[in-house]
Amino acid sequence: MSRKPLMAGNWKMHKTIAESVDLVKKLAALTGAPADREILVCPPFTALAAAAQAAKGTAVQVGAQNMNDNLQGAFTGEVAPGMVKDAGATHVVIGHSERRQFYGETDALVNKKVRLALEQGLTPILCVGETLAEREAGKTFTVVERHVTEGLKALSAADVARVVIAYEPVWAIGTGKTATPDQAQEVHGFIRRKLEALFGNAAEKVRVLYGGSVKPDNVDALMAQPDIDGGLVGGASLKADDFARIVLFQAVAAPAK
Ligand code: 13P
């Protein structure tokens, strides 16, 4: 596998500027500059520039948690792609389930943002995943297929190779309920096959991260799966020690139960 793992921390609506700077510095000190993996943190907008400044000269990269789907204009309260880039972000999370759920983001809007991020030279992290009700109704693959197909609509194979996908089953977010490594691999493998059908060889280049209660004690087994190329970590990315341990995962198979 030639895909370099990416461990991304989504801080959601947590951390002041001072706390963000402190966390970036601690994380950089604890993780060093490993050549075989990438490290990303996604602070809130208010701390983006300060976190990016603190990350300069370290292996820590900085991303935004969202952006607007327009380049500029009368959109009170919104933040443009060029602004997050200007603040020092290289990545942007798009279509997180919390944005789909609480702010009504549709597949069409998510697709527009993915295309705009690519145009602006940002790496989009496209989030996909089913709710508990959808899983229980046997709709996991239908929902994930729709999120992937619609989210990547009108992209070329070359564009897709620059996209990161995050599979985050909504029922595993912030609940302490992780998908088992096998459950996650089943969906990650499905995503890979869908990408192959849509974009051919470019599918091999796309990193598919797992998100949903990733912790120091389950990351190694998750990362041992062939189609899990990293993590999108919420709660456990807020503590330097925990996130550093996650970044420094060692892919090993889960112990037999
Ligand atoms: P938790 O790791 O807190 O479950 O959050 C996952 C997530 O939503 C990351 O984007």
Side-chain angles (χ1 to χ4, degrees):
M1 186 188 81
S2 59
R3 296 180 294 272
K4 195 188 260 199
L6 169 64
M7 277 303 166
N10 173 10
W11 295 357
K12 306 192 180 182
M13 203 166 72
H14 297 285
K15 304 290 177 191
T16 62
I17 294 173
E19 288 166 350
S20 300
V21 167
D22 186 55
L23 184 48
V24 166
K25 287 186 178 160
K26 284 194 175 130
L27 185 63
L30 288 167
T31 54
D36 61 346
R37 58 199 71 195
E38 285 185 42
I39 313 166
L40 176 73
V41 296
C42 301
F45 286 131
T46 47
L48 209 48
Q53 193 62 35
K56 269 205 180 128
T58 78
V60 177
Q61 305 174 83
V62 174
Q65 298 173 18
N66 179 35
M67 60 174 216
N68 189 259
D69 60 315
N70 294 281
L71 289 176
Q72 60 181 28
F75 301 101
T76 301
E78 289 294 297
V79 178
M83 293 171 181
V84 303
K85 227 178 130 178
D86 183 44
T90 49
H91 296 63
V92 57
V93 176
I94 292 180
H96 191 279
S97 61
E98 287 150 17
R99 298 219 52 91
R100 293 179 191 256
Q101 190 183 342
F102 304 132
Y103 304 100
E105 294 204 3
T106 60
D107 284 320
L109 179 68
V110 167
N111 175 245
K112 192 175 171 204
K113 290 186 180 188
V114 167
R115 286 186 283 134
L116 198 59
L118 287 167
E119 266 171 42
Q120 294 294 306
L122 289 160
T123 299
I125 301 178
L126 166 65
C127 299
V128 306
E130 80 287 2
T131 62
L132 182 60
E134 287 163 344
R135 175 162 280 257
E136 286 175 345
K139 291 187 187 149
T140 297
F141 295 109
T142 317
V143 170
V144 170
E145 177 170 15
R146 193 190 76 225
H147 285 167
V148 170
T149 309
E150 298 295 314
L152 299 178
K153 214 172 187 167
L155 262 64
S156 66
D159 283 340
V160 166
R162 293 167 49 210
V163 172
V164 175
I165 293 179
Y167 169 57
E168 299 205 305
V170 179
W171 49 271
I173 295 178
T175 58
K177 259 196 218 168
T178 326
T180 64
D182 288 344
Q183 267 177 329
Q185 170 57 30
E186 192 186 16
V187 180
H188 282 238
F190 173 80
I191 293 171
R192 185 87 54 209
R193 289 192 298 278
K194 191 73 222 167
L195 292 172
E196 269 159 20
L198 292 168
F199 302 102
N201 291 340
E204 279 305 305
K205 302 209 176 104
V206 178
R207 284 174 297 182
V208 185
L209 316 183
Y210 170 78
S213 298
V214 175
K215 306 283 177 214
D217 64 4
N218 61 24
V219 66
D220 296 343
L222 286 162
M223 289 306 296
Q225 298 294 330
D227 288 298
I228 300 184
D229 308 315
L232 184 55
V233 185
S237 73
L238 298 173
K239 289 191 194 136
D241 287 347
D242 282 355
F243 193 52
R245 169 63 186 85
I246 289 170
V247 166
L248 299 174
F249 72 88
Q250 295 188 335
V252 291
K257 297 222 171 61

Short mmCIF file of all heavy atoms in Angstrom, two decimals, residues 7 27 29-34 36-37 39 219-220 223 241-251:
data_model
loop_
_atom_site.label_atom_id
_atom_site.label_comp_id
_atom_site.label_asym_id
_atom_site.label_seq_id
_atom_site.Cartn_x
_atom_site.Cartn_y
_atom_site.Cartn_z
N MET A 7 -3.42 11.17 10.14
CA MET A 7 -4.18 11.24 11.39
C MET A 7 -4.63 12.68 11.59
O MET A 7 -3.78 13.59 11.72
CB MET A 7 -3.31 10.82 12.58
CG MET A 7 -3.23 9.34 12.77
SD MET A 7 -4.87 8.61 12.98
CE MET A 7 -4.42 6.89 12.74
N LEU A 27 1.81 18.66 20.88
CA LEU A 27 1.66 17.57 19.92
C LEU A 27 2.92 17.43 19.06
O LEU A 27 3.42 16.31 18.85
CB LEU A 27 0.43 17.86 19.04
CG LEU A 27 0.03 16.79 18.06
CD1 LEU A 27 -0.39 15.52 18.80
CD2 LEU A 27 -1.14 17.29 17.20
N ALA A 29 5.91 18.34 19.82
CA ALA A 29 7.02 17.84 20.65
C ALA A 29 6.89 16.34 20.88
O ALA A 29 7.88 15.61 20.88
CB ALA A 29 7.05 18.59 21.97
N LEU A 30 5.65 15.86 21.08
CA LEU A 30 5.44 14.44 21.39
C LEU A 30 5.56 13.54 20.17
O LEU A 30 5.92 12.37 20.30
CB LEU A 30 4.05 14.24 22.02
CG LEU A 30 3.86 14.76 23.45
CD1 LEU A 30 2.38 14.79 23.81
CD2 LEU A 30 4.62 13.87 24.43
N THR A 31 5.23 14.07 19.01
CA THR A 31 5.21 13.20 17.82
C THR A 31 6.47 13.32 16.98
O THR A 31 6.77 12.43 16.18
CB THR A 31 4.00 13.51 16.91
OG1 THR A 31 4.02 14.91 16.61
CG2 THR A 31 2.70 13.14 17.58
N GLY A 32 7.21 14.43 17.10
CA GLY A 32 8.38 14.63 16.25
C GLY A 32 7.95 14.79 14.81
O GLY A 32 6.87 15.31 14.53
N ALA A 33 8.80 14.33 13.90
CA ALA A 33 8.47 14.49 12.48
C ALA A 33 8.56 13.13 11.78
O ALA A 33 9.48 12.88 11.03
CB ALA A 33 9.42 15.49 11.85
N PRO A 34 7.59 12.25 12.04
CA PRO A 34 7.64 10.93 11.42
C PRO A 34 7.48 11.02 9.90
O PRO A 34 6.61 11.75 9.42
CB PRO A 34 6.45 10.19 12.05
CG PRO A 34 5.54 11.24 12.57
CD PRO A 34 6.36 12.46 12.83
N ASP A 36 6.69 8.63 7.87
CA ASP A 36 5.77 7.64 7.28
C ASP A 36 4.30 7.92 7.57
O ASP A 36 3.46 7.07 7.37
CB ASP A 36 6.14 6.24 7.80
CG ASP A 36 6.00 6.15 9.32
OD1 ASP A 36 5.88 7.22 9.98
OD2 ASP A 36 5.99 5.03 9.84
N ARG A 37 4.00 9.10 8.09
CA ARG A 37 2.59 9.44 8.35
C ARG A 37 2.42 10.95 8.39
O ARG A 37 3.39 11.68 8.63
CB ARG A 37 2.13 8.80 9.66
CG ARG A 37 2.95 9.22 10.87
CD ARG A 37 2.77 8.25 12.02
NE ARG A 37 3.41 6.96 11.75
CZ ARG A 37 3.19 5.83 12.43
NH1 ARG A 37 2.37 5.82 13.44
NH2 ARG A 37 3.81 4.71 12.12
N ILE A 39 0.25 14.37 9.96
CA ILE A 39 -0.49 14.82 11.14
C ILE A 39 -1.23 16.11 10.80
O ILE A 39 -0.64 17.04 10.23
CB ILE A 39 0.48 15.11 12.32
CG1 ILE A 39 1.49 13.97 12.49
CG2 ILE A 39 -0.27 15.40 13.60
CD1 ILE A 39 2.67 14.32 13.39
N VAL A 219 -6.87 2.28 18.17
CA VAL A 219 -6.33 2.77 16.90
C VAL A 219 -5.47 1.72 16.20
O VAL A 219 -5.50 1.59 14.97
CB VAL A 219 -5.57 4.10 17.10
CG1 VAL A 219 -4.31 3.93 17.94
CG2 VAL A 219 -5.22 4.73 15.76
N ASP A 220 -4.70 0.94 16.95
CA ASP A 220 -3.77 0.00 16.32
C ASP A 220 -4.52 -1.05 15.50
O ASP A 220 -4.14 -1.37 14.38
CB ASP A 220 -2.90 -0.69 17.38
CG ASP A 220 -2.00 0.31 18.11
OD1 ASP A 220 -1.82 1.44 17.61
OD2 ASP A 220 -1.48 -0.04 19.18
N MET A 223 -6.05 0.50 12.37
CA MET A 223 -5.05 0.81 11.35
C MET A 223 -4.45 -0.44 10.70
O MET A 223 -3.75 -0.33 9.70
CB MET A 223 -3.95 1.70 11.94
CG MET A 223 -4.41 3.12 12.25
SD MET A 223 -5.15 3.96 10.82
CE MET A 223 -3.75 4.02 9.70
N ASP A 241 -1.48 14.08 24.82
CA ASP A 241 -0.96 12.72 25.04
C ASP A 241 -1.76 11.69 24.24
O ASP A 241 -1.19 10.81 23.61
CB ASP A 241 -1.05 12.34 26.53
CG ASP A 241 -0.03 13.08 27.35
OD1 ASP A 241 0.90 13.67 26.74
OD2 ASP A 241 -0.16 13.09 28.59
N ASP A 242 -3.07 11.78 24.34
CA ASP A 242 -3.92 10.81 23.64
C ASP A 242 -3.75 10.91 22.12
O ASP A 242 -3.62 9.90 21.44
CB ASP A 242 -5.41 11.04 23.98
CG ASP A 242 -5.77 10.49 25.35
OD1 ASP A 242 -4.89 9.86 25.99
OD2 ASP A 242 -6.91 10.69 25.79
N PHE A 243 -3.76 12.14 21.62
CA PHE A 243 -3.68 12.26 20.16
C PHE A 243 -2.29 11.85 19.67
O PHE A 243 -2.16 11.23 18.60
CB PHE A 243 -4.06 13.66 19.69
CG PHE A 243 -4.28 13.74 18.20
CD1 PHE A 243 -5.14 12.85 17.56
CD2 PHE A 243 -3.63 14.69 17.42
CE1 PHE A 243 -5.35 12.89 16.17
CE2 PHE A 243 -3.83 14.74 16.04
CZ PHE A 243 -4.69 13.85 15.42
N ALA A 244 -1.26 12.18 20.44
CA ALA A 244 0.10 11.76 20.04
C ALA A 244 0.17 10.24 19.97
O ALA A 244 0.74 9.67 19.04
CB ALA A 244 1.12 12.31 21.02
N ARG A 245 -0.43 9.56 20.94
CA ARG A 245 -0.43 8.10 20.92
C ARG A 245 -1.18 7.57 19.68
O ARG A 245 -0.78 6.58 19.07
CB ARG A 245 -1.08 7.57 22.21
CG ARG A 245 -1.38 6.08 22.22
CD ARG A 245 -0.12 5.22 22.12
NE ARG A 245 -0.46 3.79 22.00
CZ ARG A 245 -0.75 3.18 20.85
NH1 ARG A 245 -0.75 3.84 19.72
NH2 ARG A 245 -1.04 1.89 20.84
N ILE A 246 -2.24 8.25 19.32
CA ILE A 246 -3.01 7.85 18.14
C ILE A 246 -2.17 8.07 16.87
O ILE A 246 -2.10 7.20 16.00
CB ILE A 246 -4.35 8.61 18.08
CG1 ILE A 246 -5.27 8.07 19.20
CG2 ILE A 246 -5.02 8.49 16.73
CD1 ILE A 246 -6.55 8.88 19.43
N VAL A 247 -1.51 9.22 16.80
CA VAL A 247 -0.66 9.51 15.65
C VAL A 247 0.44 8.45 15.53
O VAL A 247 0.78 8.01 14.44
CB VAL A 247 -0.01 10.92 15.79
CG1 VAL A 247 1.13 11.11 14.82
CG2 VAL A 247 -1.07 12.01 15.62
N LEU A 248 0.97 8.05 16.68
CA LEU A 248 2.08 7.09 16.68
C LEU A 248 1.59 5.64 16.71
O LEU A 248 2.27 4.76 17.25
CB LEU A 248 3.01 7.37 17.87
CG LEU A 248 3.65 8.78 17.84
CD1 LEU A 248 4.43 9.05 19.13
CD2 LEU A 248 4.54 8.96 16.62
N PHE A 249 0.42 5.39 16.13
CA PHE A 249 -0.15 4.03 16.11
C PHE A 249 0.85 3.03 15.52
O PHE A 249 1.72 3.39 14.73
CB PHE A 249 -1.43 4.02 15.25
CG PHE A 249 -1.14 4.16 13.77
CD1 PHE A 249 -0.88 3.05 12.99
CD2 PHE A 249 -1.08 5.41 13.17
CE1 PHE A 249 -0.56 3.17 11.64
CE2 PHE A 249 -0.76 5.55 11.83
CZ PHE A 249 -0.50 4.44 11.07
N GLN A 250 0.65 1.79 15.92
CA GLN A 250 1.39 0.71 15.27
C GLN A 250 0.34 -0.27 14.81
O GLN A 250 -0.34 -0.87 15.65
CB GLN A 250 2.29 0.00 16.28
CG GLN A 250 3.37 0.90 16.81
CD GLN A 250 4.36 0.13 17.66
OE1 GLN A 250 4.04 -0.91 18.22
NE2 GLN A 250 5.56 0.64 17.73
N ALA A 251 0.20 -0.41 13.50
CA ALA A 251 -0.89 -1.26 12.99
C ALA A 251 -0.68 -2.70 13.39
O ALA A 251 0.27 -3.35 12.97
CB ALA A 251 -0.93 -1.13 11.47
#
